[in-house]
Amino acid sequence: MTEVMGDKRVRRSRAALVDAAVRVVAERGTTSISVTDLTEAADVSRKLLYLHFGDRDALLVAAAVDLTERWAAADAAEDPAARLVKLAQHLAEHQRFYRAVLSGSCAFAASEAIKKVFSDLNRTTVTLLFDDVDEDALDDVTVFFAAGVMAIVHSWITGAESPAEPYALAERLRRLSRIFTSTGKAAR
């Protein structure tokens, strides 16, 4: 029973820190935020932040991944075109947070972690497009697509005016999707 209570407290503390990181970074538009600012916003001790995440940047990366995964889980059943629009809307809604994280001290780690989420999401699509390639090539194509999507998202998030226009990003991603879908079908 103590373990279950402990697990619940651990999850609650982690969630409070992640939520505080998203909120504080979005409010201030920067990742130059102290550990104290984050722990006070989460109403937890500094020790808990270090215990759960190791350091501030690891918390910020975890917050970016959590936010991206929440979007992915919420829109899992959407058709691909609608999902691209929902992704663009999500990114626009959280533009200040993503812009700060993708241009701050944890930018590389955050970009790599978000790219991993995109890789996991793109795996099914890539498998359908290129079903006749071996597993290693399939892994490479999945990473290639995810890195490309992340590069477009990164340039749109960090270069776009505030608020960013989500339909412009969705159209860019849809256009690429159509190109690769027709290329994949033509290769068969």
Side-chain angles (χ1 to χ4, degrees):
M1 184 69 160
T2 307
E3 280 184 28
V4 173
M5 292 295 286
D7 289 347
K8 197 181 276 187
R9 281 194 300 259
V10 167
R11 284 193 306 273
R12 199 173 327 139
S13 299
R14 286 182 66 85
L17 283 162
V18 165
D19 290 344
V22 170
R23 188 176 63 255
V24 173
V25 168
E27 286 169 2
R28 297 187 189 174
T30 181
T31 57
S32 296
I33 295 166
S34 72
V35 167
T36 301
D37 291 339
L38 293 167
T39 56
E40 285 178 359
D43 196 26
V44 299
S45 70
R46 291 172 57 96
K47 181 179 178 181
L48 273 176
L49 184 144
Y50 292 119
L51 239 147
H52 290 296
F53 298 100
D55 63 23
R56 179 189 62 108
D57 281 355
L59 167 59
L60 297 177
V61 170
V65 168
D66 180 73
L67 194 57
T68 306
E69 286 177 340
R70 279 191 268 163
W71 160 78
D75 295 324
E78 294 282 343
D79 71 88
R83 194 163 189 179
L84 290 176
V85 171
K86 294 275 181 105
L87 170 61
Q89 289 171 331
H90 165 81
L91 293 168
E93 179 183 340
H94 300 286
Q95 181 183 5
R96 283 180 55 91
F97 171 78
Y98 283 116
R99 177 182 280 163
V101 169
L102 292 174
S103 61
S105 59
C106 61
F108 180 77
S111 184
E112 290 297 301
I114 294 169
K115 185 169 58 180
K116 170 77 170 95
V117 174
F118 289 158
S119 286
D120 294 344
L121 293 172
N122 289 333
R123 180 82 181 177
T124 304
T125 304
V126 170
T127 302
L128 292 172
L129 287 173
F130 303 99
D131 60 351
D132 58 341
V133 299
D134 65 77
E135 197 65 27
D136 290 336
L138 198 57
D139 289 341
D140 290 341
V141 173
T142 300
V143 170
F144 177 79
F145 277 114
V149 168
M150 191 61 213
I152 290 168
V153 165
H154 187 277
S155 70
W156 180 77
I157 282 287
T158 59
E161 297 293 322
S162 286
E165 173 50 52
Y167 296 103
L169 174 63
E171 184 50 38
R172 287 174 71 184
L173 294 174
R174 247 196 317 259
R175 187 174 55 239
L176 286 172
S177 177
R178 284 192 301 266
I179 290 168
F180 284 110
T181 300
S182 64
T183 302
K185 289 177 184 173
R188 290 182 189 174

